[in-house]
Amino acid sequence: MPTQTVCRLLLGNELRRAREKLGRTPAEAADVIGNKATKISRIELGQSGLGKGDLTLLLDYYDIDPDRREVLFELARNSRERGRWSGYREVFPEWFRMFVDLEQDAEQIRSTNVEVMPGLLQTEAYVRALQSELDRDEHTRDIEHGVRARKERQRIFTKDDPPEFGFILSESCLRRVVGGPAVMRDQLVHLQKLSRKRNIQIQVLPFDAPTYVGRVAYRFTLLQIPSPGTASPLEFAYVESYDDARYIDDKQAVRNYVGLWNRLQAAALGPVESRRLIGEVAEQFAQAV
């Protein structure tokens, strides 16, 4: 089953679709469970849990068939799991944890990046180098937990039926030195290897790209999560700042980000040309070792 966060979102998505199909308002659905319309809105947005009794009442009200009921009950059960963010996983800030859950259950992930390699593509040495600004005597545990947490995220590449990935990297990601020439050489060689996987497409937006100078500064990730029922997939645009993030699910706003992705992709080098440039920059770092 999906993660706790995604279970809540998928359950809410299914319930919203069932309600809208019958032409019922949130207030009418709330009357069925003896609550307020805001409770239904929170449930449908994945912001609130739902007990078995209330879920049964809603499924009866929406006339959900038996096969779908079992799926929805299972989603509700899994949405109440606890303890996922203990141990080394505590390194993830709270505002990033939803992204990690969405990432693990996505069927498609498209990401734009500047200056720093995206976390999923980073080698262990690159991760450690990024952490080097910390006081190692005081934060060694955090560094090690950070490495373990990053490696756990990267297991997404080797799981059964992995997502389709698309990465658009500014050339600055290739040339911004993190950890020295040897670390960068190995990082770029790793990037080349990943780019040859059938489900991973990596494109570089070179410094001399004729347009989109301002737009490439926007770092964002598009995620699509399949629904187990008849509802449409969940779609998010994730936009991260220094100490916070936005999860955008408004359909028009997501379409705007998809349009921006398409324009950046058109301006970037193709996958083969990108791999060639990555190799050239790797060789330059190799000469500097």
Side-chain angles (χ1 to χ4, degrees):
M1 287 295 291
T3 59
Q4 176 188 351
T5 297
V6 173
C7 282
R8 281 201 312 270
L9 291 167
L10 290 173
L11 178 61
N13 197 38
E14 290 282 327
L15 293 175
R16 176 188 55 76
R17 182 183 182 280
R19 177 181 60 76
E20 292 176 346
K21 184 178 180 180
L22 288 178
R24 307 302 186 190
T25 67
E28 290 172 323
D31 285 341
V32 173
I33 61 173
N35 216 305
K36 298 179 180 179
T38 53
K39 173 67 173 180
I40 295 296
S41 297
R42 291 197 302 272
I43 291 169
E44 293 180 355
L45 291 171
Q47 297 172 352
S48 179
L50 187 62
K52 184 177 181 180
D54 285 348
L55 178 56
T56 300
L57 291 173
L58 286 176
L59 296 183
D60 290 341
Y61 181 60
Y62 296 150
D63 194 25
I64 302 296
D65 64 69
D67 290 339
R68 285 184 62 205
R69 281 174 179 249
E70 185 53 40
V71 172
L72 298 180
F73 278 124
E74 185 69 10
L75 287 174
R77 282 193 292 270
N78 281 273
S79 72
R80 295 189 289 271
E81 290 183 354
R82 293 290 184 269
R84 175 169 169 75
W85 303 112
S86 60
Y88 65 86
R89 296 184 183 91
E90 289 178 340
V91 71
F92 295 126
E94 289 193 11
W95 50 264
F96 186 63
R97 293 175 182 180
M98 181 175 172
F99 179 83
V100 175
D101 280 346
L102 294 173
E103 182 181 70
Q104 291 301 310
D105 292 305
E107 62 182 358
Q108 183 185 68
I109 299 174
R110 291 174 288 177
S111 177
T112 66
N113 298 268
V114 295
E115 294 292 324
V116 178
M117 290 287 171
L120 286 177
L121 303 182
Q122 293 171 6
T123 63
E124 181 174 333
Y126 191 98
V127 176
R128 291 184 182 279
L130 284 176
Q131 299 283 334
S132 65
E133 293 183 1
L134 298 174
D135 183 336
R136 289 186 177 275
D137 291 335
E138 185 177 348
H139 299 289
T140 298
R141 174 180 175 275
D142 292 339
I143 293 172
E144 294 306 315
H145 282 192
V147 171
R148 288 187 64 189
R150 189 65 51 84
K151 291 173 74 172
E152 179 175 288
R153 283 182 61 203
Q154 292 172 351
R155 290 171 57 189
I156 194 173
F157 290 130
T158 56
K159 74 174 188 175
D160 294 338
D161 194 22
E164 294 291 326
F165 295 93
F167 295 95
I168 297 175
L169 310 180
S170 166
E171 188 174 342
S172 61
C173 294
L174 311 185
R175 298 189 181 278
R176 172 67 61 193
V177 179
V178 175
V183 171
M184 290 303 300
R185 176 200 59 201
D186 292 346
Q187 172 65 63
L188 296 182
V189 169
H190 176 66
L191 202 63
Q192 281 186 302
K193 292 178 180 177
L194 289 175
S195 72
R196 292 188 171 91
K197 293 183 177 291
R198 61 169 182 79
N199 63 317
I200 301 176
Q201 180 171 288
I202 297 175
Q203 294 179 253
V204 177
L205 189 67
F207 288 139
D208 60 358
T211 186
Y212 306 114
V213 173
R215 290 177 179 146
V216 75
Y218 297 113
R219 295 176 54 208
F220 63 92
T221 300
L222 298 168
L223 304 108
Q224 181 171 295
I225 297 95
S227 171
T230 57
S232 58
L234 299 174
E235 294 182 309
F236 288 86
Y238 169 81
V239 183
E240 186 176 310
S241 59
Y242 175 65
D243 61 353
D244 200 359
R246 290 190 297 150
Y247 295 86
I248 301 168
D249 62 355
D250 176 78
K251 292 186 182 301
Q252 184 56 55
V254 172
R255 280 196 291 268
N256 291 341
Y257 275 97
V258 171
L260 177 55
W261 166 272
N262 290 336
R263 291 190 290 275
L264 290 171
Q265 186 178 46
L269 300 175
V272 175
E273 293 81 6
S274 296
R275 190 180 303 124
R276 185 178 302 119
L277 177 59
I278 292 168
E280 292 172 357
V281 179
E283 180 59 29
Q284 294 170 14
F285 280 120
Q287 294 174 3
V289 172

